[in-house]
Amino acid sequence: GLPGTFIANAVDREALVPGTSYHHSAFMTSKLSTNGGSDWKGLKPPASYRFGVCNTCPAGSSSSGDDPNCRLHLHGSTSWFSPEGPRPNLYSVENAPGLVMAAGNVGAHLDFTPDADCTWLSRDGGLTWEDIYPATAIYEVGDKGGVMLIAPHRSEGPTDSLLLSLDEGLCWDIVKLP
């Protein structure tokens, strides 16, 4: 939603050992470019967490974004083809510039384990992030970001409620389903 800003996943080639066979998703890292792809950097994790389960940085790691063991990694379109099951894609809408929602994890690499994900929100095009749901969720944005919905992903099992925000994700209300 912001010109020149891109978020993509790439293989962390520095972590690969020649001659070793890897799972298709091993060593995937999320990167951000704010200058049309000229420079890329890892996604900085939040300084504080709403849900403690979302902070999976190893003990002693720094959340400055410079520590390769403690970065935010988000599922993208290739996560739909994961043998562990599809994950929701990174999501933004043109009429809500800067708002981005995604499922992913904090750590050294993107984790495809079913219980590894939290759901994340950025209001500034991916520069800063916050955890908004302690598991994998699906999401939708409407009214230029004035209405946001979250529902547990099917991998989380059946649900009887949704989360609704009317203030760009600052506060969330539970909406019970009949």
Side-chain angles (χ1 to χ4, degrees):
L2 299 175
T5 300
F6 305 112
I7 298 173
N9 286 335
V11 173
D12 179 2
R13 295 178 193 265
E14 294 176 13
L16 298 177
V17 176
T20 304
S21 176
Y22 293 102
H23 183 272
H24 82 285
S25 61
F27 303 107
M28 294 295 290
T29 61
S30 295
K31 304 281 185 174
L32 171 75
S33 175
T34 57
N35 60 7
S38 293
D39 298 304
W40 293 87
K41 60 182 177 182
L43 297 177
K44 183 178 175 181
S48 62
Y49 293 82
R50 190 178 289 194
F51 303 100
V53 68
C54 296
N55 182 2
T56 55
C57 285
S61 295
S62 167
S63 64
S64 68
D66 296 328
D67 188 335
N69 293 312
C70 185
R71 291 189 180 143
L72 179 61
H73 304 286
L74 305 172
H75 290 285
S77 55
T78 56
S79 294
W80 278 100
F81 305 106
S82 167
E84 294 85 4
R87 297 292 191 281
N89 198 0
L90 183 81
Y91 184 67
S92 66
V93 292
E94 188 175 342
N95 70 354
L99 284 180
V100 185
M101 298 176 82
N105 64 281
V106 173
H109 298 98
L110 184 60
D111 192 339
F112 282 76
T113 321
D115 62 349
D117 289 341
C118 285
T119 301
W120 306 88
L121 170 67
S122 175
R123 292 181 196 84
D124 56 13
L127 295 176
T128 61
W129 293 88
E130 65 181 83
D131 53 327
I132 56 172
Y133 190 73
T136 306
I138 57 174
Y139 20 80
E140 186 58 71
V141 175
D143 193 30
K144 300 177 184 168
V147 176
M148 300 171 78
L149 287 171
I150 296 175
H153 185 261
R154 70 179 182 187
S155 63
E156 301 297 319
T159 189
D160 63 353
S161 61
L162 305 171
L163 293 174
L164 168 71
S165 175
L166 299 175
D167 59 5
E168 294 187 349
L170 295 172
C171 298
W172 294 89
D173 294 312
I174 296 172
V175 176
K176 288 290 192 182
L177 300 173

